[in-house]
Each structure stands twice: as C-alpha cells, then as structure tokens.
Amino acid sequence: MPSSKSKKAFALRLDPAVHGAVERLAAGELRSANAQIEILLREALKKRGIEVAVSTRAKRGRPPKT
C-alpha cells in the first residue's frame, strides 16, 4: 500500500540512444537506470538554481524491541 512518502511513478519515453547512455553510466556507478535518471534530473535542476530537498526514506528492517 503506497504511503504519502512513496515515489511518484510515471511513464517516460526516451530515445533508445539516450536510454542506452543512461544505462551505461548507471552501470559504471553501480546504480539502477531509474536512480541515475533521478540524479541527472537533480543535477540539472540544481544547475538552473532549483534546489530540491531530498525526501527522508522509510526505515527498513525490524522495529527495535521495546
């Protein structure tokens, strides 16, 4: 069940050459293509003077014993 803090999913159509370049870059940096696209978008936004706050991730694993 998605929460209000989950990531937004949407379809993205890319030129196959662009997608291939993103996949190669992602593989070289041990990331998924999706994570690499997000990083590239954040870098492009920052370059244009738009700061995007990094969302906090949900904690993983078992909750601590009480």
Side-chain angles (χ1 to χ4, degrees):
M1 175 183 263
S3 69
S4 61
K5 299 227 180 206
S6 65
K7 294 200 176 213
K8 174 76 176 165
F10 69 99
L12 177 64
R13 291 176 186 85
L14 293 175
D15 180 291
V18 171
H19 188 264
V22 169
E23 283 187 321
R24 287 189 301 276
L25 182 60
E29 296 183 6
L30 301 174
R31 292 190 179 102
S32 67
N34 186 70
Q36 191 66 45
I37 289 169
E38 186 170 349
I39 287 171
L40 292 170
L41 286 171
R42 286 181 181 277
E43 288 175 355
L45 288 167
K46 187 175 183 177
K47 186 176 177 180
R48 290 183 175 228
I50 302 168
E51 287 289 330
V52 180
V54 178
S55 302
T56 58
R57 290 182 155 185
K59 292 183 180 179
R60 297 181 66 180
R62 293 184 178 170
K65 293 182 180 180
T66 53

